[in-house]
């Protein structure tokens, strides 16, 4: 059972890495609405242009790992959330295409269309991902075969919508702090004002989401009483990182790099909290908890898990190293050049 646990952890590490990295991409896209003039819009897009496609590798790898390690979970998720996943895919495609196409025609109407596509393509994914996570924590209707028996509308329950709203606000704050590191002048001052207004909501909503989870799915919160040490290891650093963001933002001489580190830690810890509340379940069934898909009843063979683990030992350091090199190469403020978007 050790390999099943390892792959549970690895999948959430990949999803956490995706939330941290592509999360600020989405935030930058949402805040693209605040950019004024062609110069600011180009700065906004070019702040993520060198890294956005590499960030999405983490989602692809996480999905591939889920497919190989826990195929029944992959099947249930992709059948039950099919429409939401197709919307997510279309949003990601339009976001990518908008960055490539907006500068191809020297027309204000053309650029405005692709600016709107960039914003919408950045707004929909965090909504959909947040709603999906909310449903996973809440529980989804599964039959005894592990097949999804609900509808798309059944996924839009109040709890999942709350998690979707929180995800949008969190990623917007995360992306705003990233933009503060990549911009200067009036544009950065405008972003800072928005980030300062978002921070109180992001500080409060984790507690609201926790209380809502206790109400709709109390079994998910059992780790608070059964594993208080684990709860403390997540809750205390999470609270500290959220408070640190505010202290840095309202400091006379704020360090936006430190604020970005704190927001990255907060995003990662929230994903870790989701993993801890679920373990060892990957897809809870509700009603009928006996139909839940766990790491024990939905895993691949031991040989498959062993082979994948060897591949992960080689591949993960390469992905992490590549990501670190890219961010180091493109650190600092955005400088527009003729070849920039």
């Amino acid at each position: 059972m050790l390999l099943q646990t390892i792959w549970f952890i690895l999948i959430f590490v990949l999803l956490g890495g995706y939330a941290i990295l592509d999360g600020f991409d989405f935030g930058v896209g949402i805040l693209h609405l605040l950019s004024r003039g062609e110069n600011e819009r180009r700065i906004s897009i070019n702040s993520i242009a060198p890294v956005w496609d590499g960030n999405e590798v983490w989602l692809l790898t996480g999905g591939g790992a889920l497919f190989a390690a826990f195929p029944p979970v992959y099947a249930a998720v992709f059948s039950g959330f099919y429409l939401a996943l197709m919307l997510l895919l279309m949003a990601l495609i339009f976001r990518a295409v908008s960055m490539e196409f907006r500068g191809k025609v020297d027309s204000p109407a053309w650029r405005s269309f692709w600016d709107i596509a960039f914003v919408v393509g950045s707004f929909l994914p965090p909504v959909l991902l947040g709603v999906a996570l909310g449903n996973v924590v809440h529980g989804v209707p599964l039959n005894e075969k592990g097949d999804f028996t609900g509808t798309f509308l059944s996924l839009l329950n109040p709890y999942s919508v709350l998690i979707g709203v929180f995800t949008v606000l969190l990623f917007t704050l995360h992306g705003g702090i990233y933009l503060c590191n990549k911009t200067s002048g009036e544009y950065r001052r405008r972003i800072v004002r928005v980030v300062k207004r978002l921070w109180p909501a992001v500080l409060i909503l984790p507690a609201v989401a926790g209380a809502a989870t206790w109400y709709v799915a109390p079994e998910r919160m059992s780790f608070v009483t059964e594993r208080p040490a684990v709860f403390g290891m997540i809750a205390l650093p999470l609270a500290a990182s959220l408070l640190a963001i505010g202290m840095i933002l309202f400091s006379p001489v704020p360090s936006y790099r430190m604020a970005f580190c704190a927001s990255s830690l907060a995003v990662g810890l929230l994903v870790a909290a989701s993993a801890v509340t679920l373990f060892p379940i990957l897809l809870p069934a509700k009603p009928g908890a006996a139909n839940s898909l766990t790491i024990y009843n939905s895993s691949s063979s031991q040989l498959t898990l062993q082979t994948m683990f060897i591949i992960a030992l080689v591949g993960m350091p390469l992905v992490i190293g590549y990501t670190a090199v890219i961010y180091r190469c493109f650190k600092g403020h955005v400088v527009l050049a003729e070849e920039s978007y």
Side-chain angles (χ1 to χ4, degrees), residues 17-331:
Y18 176 71
I20 292 170
L21 296 175
D22 221 22
F24 73 74
D25 283 358
F26 296 139
V28 169
I30 294 169
L31 291 171
H32 190 68
L33 284 169
L34 299 179
S35 56
R36 299 174 184 173
E38 181 64 11
N39 191 63
E40 288 188 359
R41 294 188 182 100
R42 291 183 67 201
I43 289 174
S44 172
I45 290 175
N46 281 277
S47 69
I48 63 171
V51 298
W52 71 267
D53 48 353
N55 294 343
E56 291 187 356
V57 168
W58 291 75
L59 178 63
L60 297 174
T61 309
L66 182 65
F67 169 74
F70 305 103
V73 179
Y74 180 92
V77 168
F78 274 74
S79 61
F81 298 173
Y82 184 80
L83 181 56
L85 289 170
M86 289 302 101
L87 288 173
L88 172 64
L89 180 61
M90 291 300 297
L92 292 175
I93 290 172
F94 265 88
R95 185 179 67 134
V97 169
S98 65
M99 289 187 280
E100 297 289 342
F101 279 16
R102 74 176 301 277
K104 299 300 183 183
V105 178
D106 188 15
S107 165
W110 173 269
R111 288 193 292 268
S112 294
F113 172 80
W114 290 113
D115 282 333
I116 293 171
F118 182 55
V119 173
V120 174
S122 299
F123 175 78
L124 278 179
V127 173
L128 295 169
L129 292 170
V131 169
L133 176 62
N135 276 283
V136 169
V137 174
H138 178 274
V140 296
L142 298 175
N143 61 20
E144 64 279 359
K145 296 180 180 180
D147 297 328
F148 181 81
T149 59
T151 64
F152 176 74
L153 291 179
S154 68
L155 300 176
L156 300 177
N157 53 78
Y159 176 77
S160 65
V161 172
L162 170 66
I163 302 302
V165 170
F166 173 56
T167 304
V168 170
L169 294 177
L170 176 66
F171 284 178
T172 305
L173 174 70
H174 191 41
I177 296 173
Y178 176 80
L179 268 179
C180 290
N181 284 285
K182 307 297 287 186
T183 58
S184 59
E186 176 57 30
Y187 189 27
R188 180 162 74 175
R189 286 191 287 271
R190 203 180 315 129
I191 296 296
V192 168
R193 287 196 293 269
V194 174
V195 166
K196 287 181 177 180
R197 291 169 185 166
L198 283 172
W199 172 73
V202 174
L203 179 65
I204 295 170
L205 275 176
V208 176
T213 304
W214 212 308
Y215 178 75
V216 302
E219 64 276 12
R220 304 287 169 266
M221 302 300 288
S222 61
F223 77 102
V224 176
T225 54
E226 295 176 3
R227 290 167 279 179
V230 176
F231 172 72
M233 289 172 62
I234 294 176
L236 294 179
L238 174 60
S241 61
L242 291 173
L243 289 171
I245 294 172
M247 293 174 63
I248 294 169
L249 292 176
F250 291 95
S251 171
V253 186
S255 171
Y256 297 117
R257 182 176 297 181
M258 292 300 298
F260 183 71
C261 291
S263 66
S264 298
L265 178 62
V267 173
L269 286 171
L270 285 166
V271 175
S274 301
V276 170
T277 61
L278 288 167
F279 183 82
I281 300 172
L282 278 164
L283 191 61
K286 195 171 187 177
N291 297 333
S292 298
L293 297 176
T294 71
I295 63 173
Y296 307 120
N297 65 13
S298 63
S299 70
S300 296
S301 66
Q302 289 294 109
L303 178 60
T304 300
L305 296 178
Q306 289 172 2
T307 304
M308 287 173 53
F309 183 62
I310 294 172
I311 295 172
L313 288 177
V314 177
M316 284 294 290
L318 293 176
V319 172
I320 294 171
Y322 164 82
T323 303
V325 169
I326 291 298
Y327 278 88
R328 182 174 179 82
C329 289
F330 292 98
K331 66 180 180 179

